[in-house]
Amino acid sequence: MIELKNLSARYGRVGVLREVDLHVAPGEVVALLGANGAGKTTLLHSVAGVHRAVTGAVLLDGDDVTALDAARRTRRGISLVPAGRQVFAELTVEQNLQVGLHGTRLSAAEQSKRFEQVLSMFPVLRDFASRPAGLLSGGQQQMLAIARALVRQPAYLLLDEPSLGLAPQIVEQILGVLETLTESGVGVLLAEQNAGAALGVSQRGVIVENGVIVRADSSDGLLNDPEVSNHYLGVEQEAVEVADRAVLPTSIFEPID
């Protein structure tokens, strides 16, 4: 289990996360919801070790990994798929997958087995194995970014805005893979502005506003809450406009103690 205890983070003097408590169990998808700038990415980066928290602790299966850097946390089973895909455009699909295995020292046979496992989740990538990643569509690049993280067979997968800029049918295909992962025991922390899609594939959801978790509930509980629906499940274009303006909404909830 991943556990965050009283986790706070800042950039310079600007506080971004404040005393966050959160857990993700094996085989569970937890949706991390909130507007652009709410602190979702910083939270994921703090879990992955990309950004160092200033207070609090990150526990992995009971072990304190707060002092470990990102590379060591990756070796311990935490894989991050950052926003914006960030594939290596000049490398082929297969070479991108090889980058995902950097430092593992696996045999050629084991590498091939892992490639086949992730390509079975995203069959279109198999057809383009020799194609430079920069020539793939946005949806295919997102699939590749996720596949590159999965070749390490992580215990926990952190996804940052995987639906951003993608057509609904592609989003459905990408998020549909999460069911396969959870069946094999992988825990997923999914940061999304597309609250409806995220809650549709998760068991629990938490809402972040101004770096604070202000609401936590089952996904069904959040989906059926009129207050949540009005503010987070409204017209998609409104969410896009908020993201473009980087406006932080006035909180509709009291912060969780």
Side-chain angles (χ1 to χ4, degrees):
M1 178 181 293
I2 289 178
E3 297 176 89
L4 308 184
K5 294 189 175 182
N6 199 37
L7 196 75
S8 297
R10 65 170 61 102
Y11 289 97
R13 295 183 178 181
V14 179
V16 182
L17 296 178
R18 292 182 287 155
E19 300 177 351
V20 170
D21 291 313
L22 177 67
H23 71 275
V24 182
E28 178 183 40
V29 180
V30 177
L32 188 62
L33 310 178
N36 185 53
K40 303 188 304 297
T41 293
T42 300
L43 195 155
L44 292 184
H45 285 185
S46 296
V47 174
V50 176
H51 186 76
R52 186 62 58 87
V54 292
T55 63
V58 179
L59 305 181
L60 177 59
D61 297 331
D63 295 335
D64 190 337
V65 298
T66 311
L68 300 185
D69 61 17
R72 292 181 180 180
R73 293 192 202 186
T74 298
R75 289 196 289 270
R76 292 288 298 269
I78 298 175
S79 284
L80 170 68
V81 180
R85 298 146 201 165
Q86 298 186 25
V87 297
F88 295 96
E90 296 182 357
L91 300 183
T92 67
V93 167
E94 184 175 0
Q95 289 169 335
N96 269 271
L97 295 180
Q98 290 171 343
V99 170
L101 288 175
H102 177 71
T104 59
R105 298 181 181 179
L106 298 176
S107 67
E110 179 61 25
Q111 287 189 36
S112 179
K113 178 181 177 181
R114 293 198 182 189
F115 291 166
E116 181 57 34
Q117 288 173 338
V118 297
L119 292 176
S120 68
M121 298 181 191
F122 303 109
V124 67
L125 295 180
R126 181 183 287 108
D127 298 333
F128 299 142
S130 299
R131 178 173 296 186
L135 299 182
L136 301 179
S137 69
Q140 291 163 355
Q141 288 184 5
Q142 186 62 273
M143 294 176 190
L144 177 57
I146 296 172
R148 186 178 60 194
L150 291 179
V151 292
R152 299 190 72 94
Q153 297 184 346
Y156 298 93
L157 183 68
L158 314 178
L159 290 173
D160 194 2
E161 303 287 0
S163 75
L164 190 63
L166 302 182
Q169 63 268 29
I170 300 298
V171 174
E172 182 178 358
Q173 182 180 356
I174 288 174
L175 295 184
V177 169
L178 300 186
E179 182 177 355
T180 300
L181 296 179
T182 56
E183 288 175 353
S184 63
V186 178
V188 180
L189 185 56
L190 170 63
E192 264 291 349
Q193 288 191 60
N194 187 338
L199 292 173
V201 297
S202 60
Q203 289 75 50
R204 291 189 295 116
V206 297
I207 297 175
V208 182
E209 291 184 359
N210 300 318
V212 177
I213 292 180
V214 295
R215 176 74 184 273
D217 202 347
S218 69
S219 295
D220 287 342
L222 293 175
L223 281 169
N224 294 322
D225 187 320
E227 202 167 29
V228 173
S229 180
N230 289 338
H231 285 80
Y232 292 97
L233 304 176
V235 179
E236 185 173 341
Q237 181 58 37
E238 293 178 355
V240 172
E241 292 172 356
V242 168
D244 288 343
R245 294 194 304 269
V247 173
L248 295 178
T250 300
S251 177
I252 61 172
F253 302 109
E254 290 298 323
I256 295 175
D257 292 333

